Amino acid sequence: YGAAGLALWLGFHALLRPHELLGLRRRDIVFLKDHLGVVGNYLALIKIAQPKTRRIGPRVQHVICEERQLVIFLKVYAERFPSDHL
């Protein structure tokens, strides 16, 4: 998968708006297996720092991505970049 295909896949499953998707940084994707030590679960927490509804709702929102293959591809792709990388 290329970067554009992976972004579209993530945007679809996490219900991200284009502005939210393009504003994601590496640090906004947290792989929960790494932090919880849960064997067999492939989950990613996506932090949306500038959501569209931030004026009437939470200023920061989170989405959990449970699609196993997507999380595996995200992890492989994201490991190449520093935390500030878009």
Side-chain angles (χ1 to χ4, degrees):
Y1 286 87
L6 190 57
L8 285 174
W9 193 9
L10 175 63
F12 176 77
H13 281 283
L15 299 174
L16 298 175
R17 294 174 179 91
H19 174 42
E20 296 167 347
L21 183 62
L22 294 174
L24 283 179
R25 297 193 177 276
R26 166 60 187 95
R27 67 175 174 250
D28 295 333
I29 303 172
V30 177
F31 300 98
L32 297 180
K33 182 178 179 184
D34 295 343
H35 293 283
L36 299 177
V38 180
V39 177
N41 286 338
Y42 290 89
L43 301 171
L45 182 70
I46 312 298
K47 175 184 162 192
I48 305 169
Q50 296 289 323
K52 178 182 174 183
T53 58
R54 68 185 172 274
R55 289 185 182 89
I56 59 172
R59 291 197 175 121
V60 175
Q61 296 177 5
H62 297 85
V63 178
I64 292 181
C65 182
E66 299 175 313
E67 170 95 15
R68 185 175 193 261
Q69 281 302 123
L70 175 57
V71 173
I72 291 170
F73 279 116
L74 273 174
K75 186 169 177 123
V76 168
Y77 187 76
E79 287 176 345
R80 299 186 241 169
F81 300 105
S83 65
D84 275 348
H85 192 276
L86 282 173

